[in-house]
Amino acid sequence: MSKWKLWELTDGTVVTVESVHKVTGVPKSTIYHRLSNGKNTREEVFALREPRCSRGEKIYTLTDGSEWTATSLAKHLNCKKATAQSRFYSRFGLDPVRILKPVKGASFSESCLNDKRVRASVQARMWYDIDGFWKLFNKMDVKLST
């Protein structure tokens, strides 16, 4: 078994990387990095890592101090997540007036999928083949010249 390096803190306690890891749960590489960079106070060594994201999503802090993720903004605005995410990526700042502004028009499902004209137009395409024309055309085994 290898011998652990001992580190002395400013308050006089002697710790190892393993002992700090057992108490805090912080990765050993992070603790070793803190100790080797001269962070000798107990508060610096035993500090827990701050979470940077929520469930893998980036947290955006607006200029008024409120924090939002793309999912929470989409839920607040009742829009798609892509629409909410695009408001964060802009050449303008994270202005709450611009980001929290209501979305124009109805949502995608309300405007497209429930519109009778759009549905009729989509069903009239070749894929649905209401008249059976393309079924007959494909049976004829016609070769198109190129």
Side-chain angles (χ1 to χ4, degrees), residues 72-92:
S72 64
L73 184 63
K75 193 173 188 180
H76 175 74
L77 296 176
N78 192 21
C79 65
K80 293 195 293 185
K81 185 177 174 183
T83 304
Q85 187 69 46
S86 68
R87 293 197 175 195
F88 293 123
Y89 297 132
S90 177
R91 60 186 171 98
F92 305 110

Side-chain angles (χ1 to χ4, degrees), residues 11-31:
D11 62 353
T13 58
V14 178
V15 295
T16 62
V17 174
E18 184 66 30
S19 65
V20 177
H21 171 69
K22 285 181 182 177
V23 173
T24 62
V26 175
K28 294 176 187 177
S29 59
T30 304
I31 297 167

